[in-house]
Amino acid sequence: ETGVTQSPTHLIKTRGQQVTLRCSSQSGHNTVSWYQQALGQGPQFIFQYYREEENGRGNFPPRFSGLQFPNYSSELNVNALELDDSALYLCASSPVAGTNVKLFFGSGTQLSVL
Amino acid sequence: GNSVTQMEGPVTLSEEAFLTINCTYTATGYPSLFWYVQYPGEGLQLLLKATKADDKGSNKGFEATYRKETTSFHLEKGSVQVSDSAVYFCALSDGTGSQGNLIFGKGTKLSVKP
């Protein structure tokens, strides 16, 4: 059984560019959540996908968007990158959507915006 | 709004010392409370959780008790090991709005010296 995998591990982009981050959920998990972790801060909820539909969203602008595919893998897209988007982006999967389910986190993608 | 406040780190202890990491929260209703741990280079892992007042979560020698009267969920371990060196995050899930939306504290870095 493979865990949650994210790609790439590191990424450098320029302000104004667009970026796509990828996440493969753990086998058997149909729910994926994305978090942004700025340096020295705790993770902040971006959004969650359940069975290919957005199932909730945090306080992030529309230039943060996502997709979930039939195999339950997911993408996070960020348009018009800003310097403050530099952070560790974490993906977490769970077997169901719910408030008390255990989340399984990947190791993250470190995004640097120059 | 809902929030979590953790004691600031870093915390440096000698092996076999007693550990306390303070966590207090602000939330409406009856949140579930969690401690997550992030080892160097890895994703977050659920350490323990409690879903109602007076519940005690425990795992790997760590314990935390959900205290509604003091809105606290302090993490304790009687005898830390070098392998416990990591960043610890307190989090809450209030069950409203976005399901699976965890609100994290800023994290407390623990270093255990032999």
Side-chain angles (χ1 to χ4, degrees):
Chain A
E1 181 181 272
T2 57
V4 178
T5 57
Q6 293 186 242
S7 62
T9 54
H10 295 83
L11 200 52
I12 299 174
K13 289 288 188 178
T14 304
R15 190 172 51 183
Q17 284 188 313
Q18 179 266 343
V19 69
T20 297
L21 310 182
R22 295 178 174 82
C23 172
S24 293
S25 58
Q26 187 159 318
S27 177
H29 289 189
N30 59 20
T31 303
V32 172
S33 302
W34 286 92
Y35 287 80
Q36 181 195 66
Q37 185 178 9
L39 189 64
Q41 303 294 315
Q44 284 197 297
F45 177 69
I46 303 175
F47 44 55
Q48 182 184 80
Y49 278 83
Y50 170 63
R51 292 188 173 180
E52 304 179 58
E53 298 286 332
E54 187 176 289
N55 188 45
R57 188 178 184 92
N59 189 26
F60 280 81
R63 59 189 184 85
F64 285 78
S65 63
L67 280 174
Q68 188 178 33
F69 299 99
N71 66 355
Y72 302 131
S73 65
S74 178
E75 287 182 354
L76 164 65
N77 298 289
V78 187
N79 293 323
L81 283 167
E82 300 177 359
L83 298 180
D84 285 348
D85 296 333
S86 295
L88 180 68
Y89 288 83
L90 297 168
C91 169
S93 73
S94 54
V96 294
T99 56
N100 295 322
V101 296
K102 181 177 178 179
L103 298 181
F104 293 78
F105 283 84
S107 300
T109 293
Q110 184 67 53
L111 173 65
S112 298
V113 182
L114 305 178
Chain B
N2 299 332
S3 65
V4 173
T5 303
Q6 288 181 238
M7 65 183 284
E8 298 219 358
V11 173
T12 303
L13 296 174
S14 297
E15 207 165 22
E16 299 184 2
F18 184 84
L19 168 72
T20 299
I21 300 178
N22 290 337
C23 171
T24 56
Y25 67 89
T26 301
T28 55
Y30 302 94
S32 295
L33 301 172
F34 306 82
W35 277 101
Y36 276 82
V37 58
Q38 188 173 33
Y39 297 103
E42 299 183 14
L44 278 75
Q45 302 174 25
L46 178 64
L47 182 60
L48 54 84
K49 71 175 185 180
T51 58
K52 62 183 187 294
D54 299 325
D55 266 3
K56 177 185 283 188
S58 62
N59 186 25
K60 299 181 181 179
F62 290 89
E63 293 183 340
T65 301
Y66 187 145
R67 302 285 189 200
K68 188 168 174 60
E69 63 276 13
T70 55
T71 62
S72 65
F73 192 55
H74 304 322
L75 182 68
E76 296 182 337
K77 186 175 186 182
S79 176
V80 294
Q81 306 300 312
V82 172
S83 57
D84 294 327
S85 298
V87 181
Y88 292 81
F89 292 92
C90 184
L92 72 82
S93 175
D94 62 7
T96 63
S98 302
Q99 290 190 338
N101 176 6
L102 292 177
I103 298 170
F104 286 89
K106 292 185 177 182
T108 303
K109 183 176 182 179
L110 170 66
S111 295
V112 180
K113 307 297 184 185

